[in-house]
Amino acid sequence: MDTPRVSEQEEHRVLAEALADTSRARGTARLWRLLRALRVRNYRLYVAGQSVSLMGTWMQRLALSWWVYQRTHSALALGIVGGVGQLPALLLAPLAGALVDRWDRQRLLVVTQLLAMFQALGLAWLVLAGRATLWHMFLCSVLLGMINALDMPARQALVGELVQQPVDLSNALALNAAITNGARLLGPALAGLVIVRLGEGICFLLNGLSYLALLAAVRAMRLPPHPTAPPRMPLLAEAHAGVRYAWGCTPVRAILLLLTVANLLGMPYQVLMPVFATDVLHGDAHTLARLTAASGVGAILGALSLASRDRVVGFGRVLVLSTGLFGLGLVGLSYARHEGVAWLMLIGASGGMMVLSTTSQTVLQTIVEEAKRGRILSLYSMVFLGTAPVGSLVAGTVATQLTAPHMVRIGGLCCLVGALVFACYLPALRAMVRPLSAHRELLQDTTVRAQTAMAARLHAHHEPTGSGFRE
């Protein structure tokens, strides 16, 4: 009499185990999709070295801002230091892009890392020896900006060579952004502790030593030689050709203009963080570290959401939404008078900006041919870094005349307007982008991909092994 009940219980047990196995399989599949670019050895090496190097970089950024503000108590001085450090990217980016397209990117990255390491060690010596002045900080910022003008497009172009498969490119870029912002989260937090106990000079020293990790990783990579065809035109002519191509290609121009609005008017909030930490929120170095860490948290969340995507379908809409989120976060930050509220607003703003920048870079690398990749990415770097100096100078000036919250609010409202304008042109831009990247199979329609995948599964289920190719 109990047999049917036992049988029913057994069926429920088997069904529960099957559901659990299915859930675990789906979770494993999601994790694998999230980290799929790490299956490539060269990219794993790059990630390992980049993680250590970027943590030192963010330590130096916070230490430099803190050193300047503690000795000047001037938002304008903060703006000038941040501006001159990124000005070379504005002036040298087109030439840097032409060089990246000509030279071997692996060797180029070794050179830029060595130069950046010497800069950081020199800055550490000046501070620890008690000889550092505000002018030294200006000069070191300019030197690092010149190095970054060449380093940033070289890194971005190299990522495409590391993963090799176009379908993994968006995942690799998103993981790279997550690593960058993970360092942005941990680096400033560590820097805050080091500054309080040991001083800013140790932060600069640790940054200099951190470059050794990426140097070792780049040297260990096994890459095919980068094809370096003899130049067909002078360097300046190649740089001009890259600018002319970017301006003539409407989708590229629209993306770069949207990034210009966000970076010129929105991103200067970063150089005003010491003002928010001390004057608005009435805190200290630990407050500044926590605010910077909040930006890292938001950016990591945004990066992970992008890394889980396997195609760039819908990225136009993502550009609009992320720009809007960035603007709303800045407006909210301008009204924050409690650290917890500022924390939440920074998470939203930095997450939106990270998604905007990474999505823009993914689309640009998708629609631009390999021969022009270095030059287009250098223009991306120019917009991402080069417009910030002007924005930093404007932010410092406006914050001095008005207040830092007023400057951040103005930037946020401008970003919201930029998102609305881009949304109006999005249907036309989408129609232009689709044929440019159809050959890379990254912008297939979602329905077509689903039908293709279903047909493949049915084919694999019904056809005998070894049946061969069928039309």
Side-chain angles (χ1 to χ4, degrees):
M1 297 295 293
D2 293 336
T3 302
R5 182 178 299 174
V6 172
S7 177
E8 184 177 347
Q9 291 176 350
E10 181 68 16
E11 289 179 359
H12 283 300
R13 185 184 65 81
V14 172
L15 179 59
E17 290 180 354
L19 290 175
D21 291 341
T22 302
S23 178
R24 284 193 294 268
R26 289 177 178 174
T28 302
R30 284 194 295 267
L31 181 61
W32 175 251
R33 185 173 61 189
L34 186 67
L35 304 175
R36 64 185 182 273
L38 292 176
R39 65 191 175 191
V40 182
R41 174 184 177 274
N42 288 330
Y43 185 71
R44 289 197 304 270
L45 286 170
Y46 177 78
V47 164
Q50 178 93 322
S51 300
V52 177
S53 177
L54 286 174
M55 190 174 298
T57 298
W58 279 103
M59 289 182 67
Q60 173 164 316
R61 288 187 181 183
L62 185 135
L64 182 62
S65 296
W66 189 254
W67 190 96
V68 171
Y69 192 67
Q70 286 300 300
R71 285 155 183 79
T72 65
H73 296 281
S74 169
L76 181 59
L78 277 176
I80 293 175
V81 171
V84 298
Q86 295 169 327
L87 188 62
L90 179 64
L91 302 177
L92 303 178
L95 290 176
L99 291 174
V100 170
D101 281 335
R102 285 188 179 189
W103 293 350
D104 184 279
R105 292 158 187 171
Q106 185 179 10
R107 295 180 180 177
L108 184 59
L109 195 57
V110 171
V111 173
T112 57
Q113 295 310 292
L114 285 172
L115 293 175
M117 181 177 68
F118 294 147
Q119 179 270 345
L121 293 177
L123 188 57
W125 177 80
L126 287 171
V127 174
L128 292 174
R131 300 184 178 183
T133 66
L134 191 59
W135 285 107
H136 287 131
M137 297 299 169
F138 291 156
L139 292 176
C140 287
S141 294
V142 171
L143 177 59
L144 185 60
M146 295 174 66
I147 297 169
N148 286 337
L150 188 59
D151 177 79
M152 190 170 178
R155 287 190 193 221
Q156 294 163 348
L158 184 64
V159 170
E161 297 181 24
L162 296 180
V163 296
Q164 296 180 343
Q165 298 297 326
V167 293
D168 291 336
L169 179 60
S170 62
N171 179 255
L173 293 175
L175 289 178
N176 195 51
I179 293 164
T180 301
N181 290 284
R184 183 181 183 178
L185 173 65
L186 298 176
L190 180 59
L193 296 175
V194 173
I195 290 172
V196 170
R197 298 188 178 186
L198 301 174
E200 300 93 337
I202 300 299
C203 289
F204 301 140
L205 176 62
L206 292 175
N207 178 45
L209 297 177
S210 71
Y211 287 105
L212 295 174
L214 186 55
L215 282 168
V218 173
R219 295 291 296 174
M221 292 176 185
R222 294 193 293 267
L223 288 173
H226 182 71
T228 53
R232 291 168 294 182
M233 61 179 71
L235 185 64
L236 287 175
E238 282 194 1
H240 183 259
V243 174
R244 190 169 60 247
Y245 169 81
W247 186 256
C249 182
T250 304
V252 173
R253 181 175 73 241
I255 292 173
L256 292 178
L257 287 175
L258 181 64
L259 280 172
T260 299
V261 172
N263 282 278
L264 181 65
L265 302 172
M267 284 302 286
Y269 84 91
Q270 292 182 329
V271 301
L272 298 175
M273 280 298 96
V275 183
F276 272 87
T278 56
D279 297 345
V280 178
L281 301 176
H282 309 292
D284 54 13
H286 293 290
T287 306
L288 177 60
R290 288 192 295 267
L291 292 178
T292 310
S295 297
V297 170
I300 289 175
L301 294 176
L304 293 178
S305 68
L306 281 180
S308 63
R309 299 175 65 106
D310 58 354
R311 291 292 188 274
V312 296
V313 173
F315 268 16
R317 185 172 62 255
V318 172
L319 289 173
V320 174
L321 295 177
S322 58
T323 308
L325 178 60
F326 179 52
L328 288 174
L330 293 182
V331 172
L333 176 64
S334 70
Y335 287 104
R337 296 299 179 268
H338 186 274
E339 186 176 337
V341 177
W343 226 80
L344 292 175
M345 294 301 104
L346 283 170
I347 288 176
S350 61
M353 188 61 204
M354 199 291 311
V355 172
L356 170 62
S357 61
T358 306
T359 302
S360 300
Q361 187 185 158
T362 301
V363 175
L364 290 175
Q365 294 221 41
T366 300
I367 65 179
V368 173
E369 60 189 74
E370 171 64 26
K372 296 183 176 69
R373 180 175 293 178
R375 279 168 285 179
I376 298 304
L377 289 177
S378 72
L379 295 177
Y380 168 87
S381 301
M382 180 180 72
V383 169
F384 196 72
L385 295 177
T387 57
V390 180
S392 296
L393 293 174
V394 171
T397 303
V398 173
T400 301
Q401 299 299 321
L402 300 176
T403 63
H406 277 92
M407 177 61 217
V408 171
R409 190 176 309 145
I410 292 171
L413 292 174
C414 291
C415 291
L416 291 174
V417 173
L420 291 174
V421 173
F422 191 86
C424 293
Y425 288 95
L426 185 57
L429 294 174
R430 187 181 290 119
M432 296 177 188
V433 166
R434 189 172 291 113
L436 290 176
S437 39
H439 66 286
R440 301 187 69 174
E441 300 180 350
L442 290 174
L443 290 177
Q444 297 180 42
D445 182 76
T446 306
T447 305
V448 174
R449 293 203 317 272
Q451 292 173 348
T452 303
M454 180 62 72
R457 285 195 294 270
L458 292 173
H459 180 80
H461 181 73
H462 292 293
E463 291 295 330
T465 303
S467 61
F469 175 77
R470 293 191 177 187
E471 293 258 291

